[in-house]
Amino acid sequence: MKAAIVVFPGTNRERDMAAALEKAAGHNSKPDLIWHGETELKGYDLIVVPGGFSYGDYLRCGAMAGNSPILRSIKEQAERGVTVLGVCNGFQILTETGLLPGVLMRNAGLKFICKMTHIRCERRVAPFTGGMAEGQVSRVAVAHNEGNYFADEDTLNRLEGDDRVLFRYCDDRGNVSDKTNLNGSQRNIAGILNEKGNVLGMMPHPENAIDPIAGGVDGLPLFESLAKAVVERA
């Protein structure tokens, strides 16, 4: 799997993401770290926009990164069907650029949230959750101040109707309720797809749940699904 991880000033999860991709695809598939000032991303099977605090989040989260030179190529490759994954700040960037609908606002409690939580897989679909079961619950970490997903009712209904809500916040048994909605996201949304299904944005960090020593391996199936989908597509 030939993967590119895009790095902005303030990105801090690129090494975690690289470790997750290498573990899923094999150590011979070392991802490339691409500085945001580059302008070309041709030839990659997967493009990842990892978490962190791009440009210190001094404006809207992801707004400044959304104007970086590399974003034009990310958009072009996404339109060609290349798989794109944005996690946390990466999700924010994808919404700022219009690759995904909606916005990420301040958490409902107006506090930074850093904890383990549970998310439910709503749909088994390549390339992201092809190796997971519908309804599968994963225990993963969140670390964000602006993770409150918001969109107008028409957009939310369209996401639901098109089965583009891929992950929701839940409890350890998969129950979705207001109590399990840790940041106020509408309809407990934790991750969504674009219309083509090749772009995923999600707030939780699956890359930090790939090793028992670090607290669990519930994030690994997503990366294994990505690796398998790339091999099958080749």
Side-chain angles (χ1 to χ4, degrees):
M1 179 169 65
K2 188 169 174 56
I5 300 173
V6 180
V7 181
F8 299 90
T11 297
N12 63 17
R13 298 297 181 103
E14 72 274 21
R15 301 291 176 180
D16 306 71
M17 190 63 71
L21 293 172
E22 286 183 53
K23 187 159 189 174
H27 292 289
N28 291 327
S29 299
K30 189 175 181 64
D32 294 329
L33 300 181
I34 307 295
W35 185 239
H36 75 109
E38 299 295 327
T39 58
E40 188 53 71
L41 284 170
K42 287 182 180 177
Y44 287 100
D45 305 306
L46 170 66
I47 299 169
V48 181
V49 188
F53 304 92
S54 60
Y55 294 93
D57 286 342
Y58 289 131
L59 192 59
R60 295 186 314 276
C61 294
M64 294 176 70
N67 288 288
S68 290
I70 199 69
L71 260 297
R72 175 173 293 185
S73 186
I74 293 176
K75 288 181 178 179
E76 290 174 351
Q77 297 309 307
E79 289 171 1
R80 290 183 57 248
V82 173
T83 302
V84 178
L85 170 65
V87 174
C88 199
N89 191 229
F91 187 8
Q92 295 161 343
I93 293 169
L94 295 181
T95 60
E96 284 287 343
T97 58
L99 279 166
L100 290 172
V103 295
L104 281 306
M105 306 192 306
R106 287 286 303 275
N107 296 336
L110 302 182
K111 292 182 179 180
F112 186 84
I113 300 172
C114 184
K115 60 183 290 186
M116 299 301 290
T117 191
H118 294 89
I119 56 174
R120 187 178 73 190
C121 174
E122 299 293 88
R123 182 183 171 204
R124 184 184 183 202
V125 59
F128 301 104
T129 56
M132 300 174 70
E134 183 176 319
Q136 182 171 331
V137 176
S138 302
R139 183 175 181 268
V140 291
V142 292
H144 57 252
N145 197 49
E146 290 85 5
N148 183 352
Y149 181 77
F150 177 86
D152 60 66
E153 283 298 307
D154 286 344
T155 298
L156 290 169
N157 290 336
R158 188 163 59 252
L159 288 171
E160 300 277 13
D162 294 341
D163 288 329
R164 289 164 54 195
V165 177
L166 198 57
F167 295 107
R168 294 187 206 269
Y169 298 108
C170 65
D171 64 17
D172 58 355
R173 295 187 178 184
N175 299 310
V176 173
S177 68
D178 290 342
K179 290 182 179 180
T180 65
N181 190 342
L182 77 170
N183 55 26
S185 290
Q186 288 180 299
R187 306 189 188 185
N188 284 60
I189 289 174
I192 60 170
L193 297 168
N194 68 337
E195 290 184 1
K196 290 184 178 180
N198 65 308
V199 178
L200 168 64
M202 60 186 298
M203 284 310 296
H205 289 276
E207 74 277 13
N208 291 143
I210 62 163
D211 194 308
I213 297 176
V217 295
D218 283 5
L220 198 54
L222 184 144
F223 298 104
E224 292 173 337
S225 296
L226 284 169
K228 182 180 179 182
V230 167
V231 170
E232 293 177 347
R233 193 167 57 212

